[in-house]
Amino acid sequence: MERYSGFSLFKHAFSHHENWQKAWHSPAPKPSYDVVIVGGGGHGLATAYYLAKQHGITRVAVLEKGYLGGGNTGRNTTIVRSNYLWDEAARLYDHSLSLWQGLSQELNYNVMFSQRGVLNVGHNLQDMRDIERRVNANRLNGIDAEVLDTKAVKELVPIINDSPNIRYPVHGASWQASGGVARHDAVAWGYARAANSLGVDLIQQCEVTGIRRQAGAVVGVETNLGFIAAAKVACVVAGSSGVMAAHADIRLPLESYPLQALVSEPIKPVLDTVVMSNAVHAYVSQSDKGDLVIGAGIDTYNGYGQRGSFQIIEHTVSAICELFPVFSRVRMNRSWGGVVDISPDACPIISKTMIKGLYFNCGWGTGGFKATPGSGHVFAHTIAKDQAHPIAAPFNLDRFNTGHLIDEHGAAAVAH
Amino acid sequence: MLQIYCPYCQELREETEFSYSGEAHIARPLEPQQLTDAQWADYLFFRTNPRGIHHEMWYHASGCRRYFNATRNTQTYEIYETYPLGQQPALTCDIGGKR
């Protein structure tokens, strides 16, 4: 695989940039693999990359029913942070944040990771108490976090409405300076390119329609391109996890909901950080292109349609306009939805299952993008060793039986 | 936005009048202390989550304030029927999940 560099850019200028290698190949599936990964989103591609890179397992196929990164990877609001309340979650997301920091170099692909800081705004006394508790927990876990008062928030974000007379006044915020945003598509493309160059097969337009088992162990997957044998099958399919689990006759503690986001027309730079509000359920940042990237909430009812209810967007936009009156006349360009799999404790499931050789990485709900590198890294270890990575161990499927839940609902600084 | 027919009010009303209450027909175990941890977890946390036909509970919050069930397609969002609590659905063909 040709490396991207300043020199290669210069060299290709002479041929009018018409001779760049394809970033990855699209082969026909082989009859068998050591590991088949179902789902070609960021998490699945990262898993494939770390399997090949860290564990030397290169007879790996990633099966994607649509196109790479076309699901939630390409539909989220690209926020990266690790300021989670509980130790287990903080370790997982901070592991991910540390991988984000060297990711562009590691993949030789610019994922545009920009540590512009993340604000989680509090609107009342209880919000601020929760924020202080969470910030203290974060600092004990070595995560950079601070509590800011209204004045400090206003200094960071001059366009925010700091009037005490609005419905949800800004009483302060938590601030994680090492948080930020990344280019979501580039993360999928970067992992895809790097995994492919290590020998991983990326097979698109390949839908898994069944998981074949023999004597309690996985032997392969049925697909629209025929049967593919595999000793290990790893499902990383977010909102479709329930469907995949039904193929294997197991049940998961998940429900799928549409989550919406929207972007505005591009405007001049006006917001150089990420502002999130738990209480009014709105978050906003500005992309390098200039569009405001706005995240809304999930629908109240289960759904597999990649679209959401209009009143959810209306609610979010009215909150954004109250917080940022300057945005009230910005026109919105596009809105869309992705199907997220919500677990009862708002934490992921990174786990072996009762079926030998079948692994699930799911339940990331509304906040999986930030975890992409860490999720892939610990899941690859779990698959390769057939034993949970120490960071992934608390996120096993059995926690719903034992009661060792990691309750990040609300505590994770954003309502799920 | 969904248009939901309330079987009590017998009117087609907008989704925002209702609130969703999750999967229907999950009976509370009569003797919880007799269950294993796995059975209790299944009752508490594990759901069918089908892509296709789903039986679910709704609450007419801004109307009669009563609970009822609906059979809805989670992919097309078509609502096939609504029926009072205690009744069985007319449509039970499971497409996505098994129970």
Side-chain angles (χ1 to χ4, degrees):
Chain A
M1 186 66 66
E2 180 183 6
R3 280 186 69 77
Y4 293 152
S5 65
F7 174 72
S8 68
L9 194 64
F10 183 71
K11 188 181 80 180
H12 279 280
F14 288 107
S15 54
H16 307 283
H17 296 291
E18 285 171 357
N19 296 313
W20 285 98
Q21 251 183 15
K22 278 196 176 172
W24 57 79
H25 308 284
S26 300
K30 296 188 190 111
S32 84
Y33 290 95
D34 291 340
V35 180
V36 159
I37 294 168
V38 186
H43 289 233
L45 293 165
T47 305
Y49 170 73
Y50 290 114
L51 271 177
K53 174 88 178 176
Q54 305 245 310
H55 304 283
I57 302 174
T58 55
R59 289 187 68 243
V60 176
V62 178
L63 310 183
E64 166 56 49
K65 77 171 170 183
Y67 57 94
L68 299 182
N72 295 347
T73 301
R75 291 164 189 267
N76 60 76
T77 49
T78 78
I79 298 167
V80 177
R81 60 187 178 88
S82 66
N83 54 352
Y84 279 66
L85 175 68
W86 298 105
D87 294 351
E88 297 87 347
R91 271 197 288 275
L92 177 60
Y93 290 101
D94 213 41
H95 176 56
S96 196
L97 187 63
S98 66
L99 290 172
W100 273 112
Q101 284 168 334
L103 195 61
S104 291
Q105 286 73 27
E106 161 124 24
L107 299 179
N108 181 230
Y109 202 99
N110 186 4
V111 298
M112 296 167 71
F113 180 48
S114 158
Q115 292 178 293
R116 57 184 67 180
V118 175
L119 282 168
N120 293 99
V121 179
H123 299 283
N124 54 47
L125 188 58
Q126 188 59 47
D127 278 2
M128 292 313 296
R129 286 174 175 158
D130 290 343
I131 282 172
E132 281 183 30
R133 179 188 178 205
R134 179 165 48 77
V135 165
N136 286 333
N138 290 161
R139 293 172 79 113
L140 289 171
N141 276 320
I143 295 165
D144 63 312
E146 292 175 57
V147 180
L148 303 183
D149 61 9
T150 312
K151 191 163 156 282
V153 172
K154 183 75 177 171
E155 274 168 24
L156 271 172
V157 188
I159 56 169
I160 205 165
N161 185 355
D162 63 346
S163 160
N165 297 321
I166 58 178
R167 174 66 185 84
Y168 295 103
V170 175
H171 281 219
S174 73
W175 168 245
Q176 185 182 10
S178 63
V181 292
R183 174 78 204 281
H184 52 3
D185 295 326
V187 178
W189 298 336
Y191 273 119
R193 176 172 170 270
N196 187 222
S197 73
L198 294 172
V200 172
D201 280 357
L202 309 175
I203 299 156
Q204 303 181 66
Q205 310 289 320
C206 178
E207 182 172 3
V208 171
T209 53
I211 296 175
R212 199 185 285 181
R213 287 148 285 149
Q214 238 164 38
V218 159
V219 293
V221 291
E222 316 281 353
T223 74
N224 59 335
L225 302 178
F227 176 73
I228 300 172
K232 293 178 175 178
V233 173
C235 298
V236 202
V237 293
S240 300
S241 295
V243 178
M244 211 49 66
H247 287 325
D249 293 317
I250 60 172
R251 275 158 68 78
L252 291 173
L254 297 175
E255 290 200 292
S256 298
Y257 295 86
L259 173 67
Q260 293 181 90
L262 54 160
V263 291
S264 74
E265 60 189 348
I267 55 176
K268 292 210 169 168
V270 65
L271 181 64
D272 63 357
T273 182
V274 181
V275 180
M276 310 179 66
S277 167
N278 181 2
V280 297
H281 212 122
Y283 20 109
V284 60
S285 64
Q286 189 173 19
S287 75
D288 292 354
K289 203 167 61 178
D291 354 357
L292 299 174
V293 182
I294 296 171
I298 59 169
D299 273 7
T300 57
Y301 47 87
N302 296 22
Y304 282 83
Q306 286 177 318
R307 60 189 188 277
S309 304
F310 186 71
Q311 74 269 18
I312 305 281
I313 301 184
E314 188 181 16
H315 173 83
T316 292
V317 170
S318 62
I320 294 279
C321 287
E322 191 190 57
L323 272 179
F324 301 99
V326 68
F327 292 160
S328 64
R329 281 176 298 148
V330 175
R331 284 168 296 194
M332 293 299 144
N333 244 354
R334 288 176 289 125
S335 76
W336 62 89
V339 182
V340 298
D341 45 338
I342 307 277
S343 69
D345 57 358
C347 272
I349 298 163
I350 308 169
S351 186
K352 297 161 66 170
T353 62
M354 56 200 270
I355 297 167
K356 189 172 165 12
L358 181 65
Y359 305 84
F360 266 88
N361 183 353
C362 56
W364 289 94
T366 60
F369 175 73
K370 65 174 82 67
T372 305
S375 160
H377 186 260
V378 298
F379 194 43
H381 180 285
T382 304
I383 298 165
K385 312 267 188 217
D386 195 36
Q387 190 182 355
H389 186 282
I391 291 177
F395 298 92
N396 61 55
L397 189 53
D398 199 43
R399 74 178 188 268
F400 300 97
N401 295 338
T402 61
H404 288 181
L405 303 187
I406 305 153
D407 186 11
E408 285 288 355
H409 259 299
V414 55
H416 290 270
Chain B
M1 185 177 293
L2 300 177
Q3 302 271 310
I4 301 172
Y5 182 82
C6 173
Y8 304 111
C9 302
Q10 307 203 330
E11 273 184 55
L12 196 64
R13 309 291 294 181
E14 285 190 350
E15 171 191 327
T16 46
E17 283 191 13
F18 300 86
S19 63
Y20 179 69
S21 301
E23 189 175 341
H25 304 295
I26 297 175
R28 187 180 169 85
L30 291 174
E31 293 188 77
Q33 62 274 29
Q34 302 298 319
L35 299 187
T36 63
D37 287 349
Q39 286 169 324
W40 183 244
D42 194 78
Y43 162 69
L44 274 187
F45 298 126
F46 287 67
R47 296 292 176 263
T48 315
N49 194 26
R51 182 164 67 194
I53 289 177
H54 190 230
H55 305 294
E56 56 198 24
M57 223 166 18
W58 286 84
Y59 174 58
H60 197 176
S62 308
C64 61
R65 302 178 66 188
R66 294 170 77 180
Y67 284 90
F68 61 92
N69 290 335
T71 305
R72 184 175 60 93
N73 187 315
T74 57
Q75 194 158 30
T76 64
Y77 295 180
E78 185 183 352
I79 297 173
Y80 301 111
E81 57 174 338
T82 55
Y83 51 99
L85 284 195
Q87 288 189 13
Q88 290 301 309
L91 188 72
T92 52
C93 154
D94 270 9
I95 294 171
K98 299 181 186 111
R99 198 178 167 86

